[in-house]
Amino acid sequence: GICIYTGATENVVRGNLASGNARAGIYLYGVGTMSNTVAGNVIGLNASGTGSLGNGNYGVMVFNGASHNVIGGTDLQDRNVVGGNGWDGVRLHRASSNRVIGNYIGTNTGGDAAIPNGYRGVFIWEAEDNEIGGAYVGEGNLISGNAHQGIELRAKTGYLAFPDIAGLSTVYSGVFQSLNFPDSDGPFAHSDGT
């Protein structure tokens, strides 16, 4: 897939078909890899966005110190469509202060049919201060149709997640519960203030 790593900053990955790779469609990793934007890509689907051409593991993987990156955006042309991947649509692992906003995760490009990721829509593991969705127009994600949780947060603190409360990020459950917070000790801020 596409790799941004080892201190790369302020790059824009836009308008790509990142599908059919053995591991991830798009990687961002390493300390100092920051302020990059991944927007307007089709990740794990075919070119028409109507069927699966999944990456073997993840759609987007942000890990090992990558920070302050944005996956998606508030304009329609910023939306990533992430589906059909073998594991998670988006995984943040040992990465901090990243944002996942305005994406379709687990659906086709129209957002009206499931193209599931094999596990979770979004998985945040051993990572801090990342944001899923947001309080402003266009920042919500559509996370639907995934085989397991829509969003799972595990083993660190300070996540800011906006699930389907007030319709900011719509999370439809797959086979299992749509939200799961094992081993996390919060705080969690939701759009209703809890």
Side-chain angles (χ1 to χ4, degrees):
I2 299 167
C3 296
I4 299 175
Y5 63 102
T6 317
T9 62
E10 299 182 11
N11 297 286
V12 177
V13 178
R14 179 182 293 278
N16 298 285
L17 176 64
S19 300
N21 297 290
R23 295 192 180 175
I26 300 175
Y27 288 99
L28 293 93
Y29 68 93
V31 173
T33 300
M34 58 191 300
S35 303
N36 298 290
T37 301
V38 176
N41 301 285
V42 174
I43 304 167
L45 287 77
N46 60 22
S48 65
T50 59
S52 176
L53 183 58
N55 297 293
N57 294 351
Y58 314 105
V60 179
M61 175 68 156
V62 183
F63 68 113
N64 286 354
S67 66
H68 299 92
N69 299 289
V70 178
I71 311 303
T74 58
D75 294 330
L76 289 178
Q77 65 266 25
D78 294 336
R79 175 184 299 149
N80 296 297
V81 182
V82 186
N85 298 290
W87 294 2
D88 304 318
V90 178
R91 178 179 281 207
L92 307 176
H93 184 199
R94 298 180 180 160
S96 64
S97 302
N98 298 286
R99 302 184 74 207
V100 179
I101 57 173
N103 302 289
Y104 283 2
I105 302 173
T107 74
N108 64 0
T109 53
D112 56 8
I115 300 181
N117 293 294
Y119 284 86
R120 294 148 289 235
V122 178
F123 184 30
I124 302 179
W125 180 24
E126 296 179 335
E128 297 180 322
D129 300 319
N130 294 288
E131 182 176 343
I132 311 301
Y136 298 101
V137 173
E139 291 184 339
N141 299 288
L142 172 62
I143 301 172
S144 179
N146 298 288
H148 291 263
Q149 296 85 4
I151 301 170
E152 181 172 338
L153 312 176
R154 183 180 293 180
K156 282 285 185 178
T157 64
Y159 302 104
L160 178 60
F162 287 86
D164 57 343
I165 302 166
L168 292 174
S169 286
T170 306
V171 180
Y172 298 106
S173 61
V175 176
F176 300 99
Q177 70 271 27
S178 56
L179 294 173
N180 189 28
F181 306 116
D183 305 322
S184 297
D185 50 5
F188 301 103
H190 299 280
S191 55
D192 68 349
T194 59

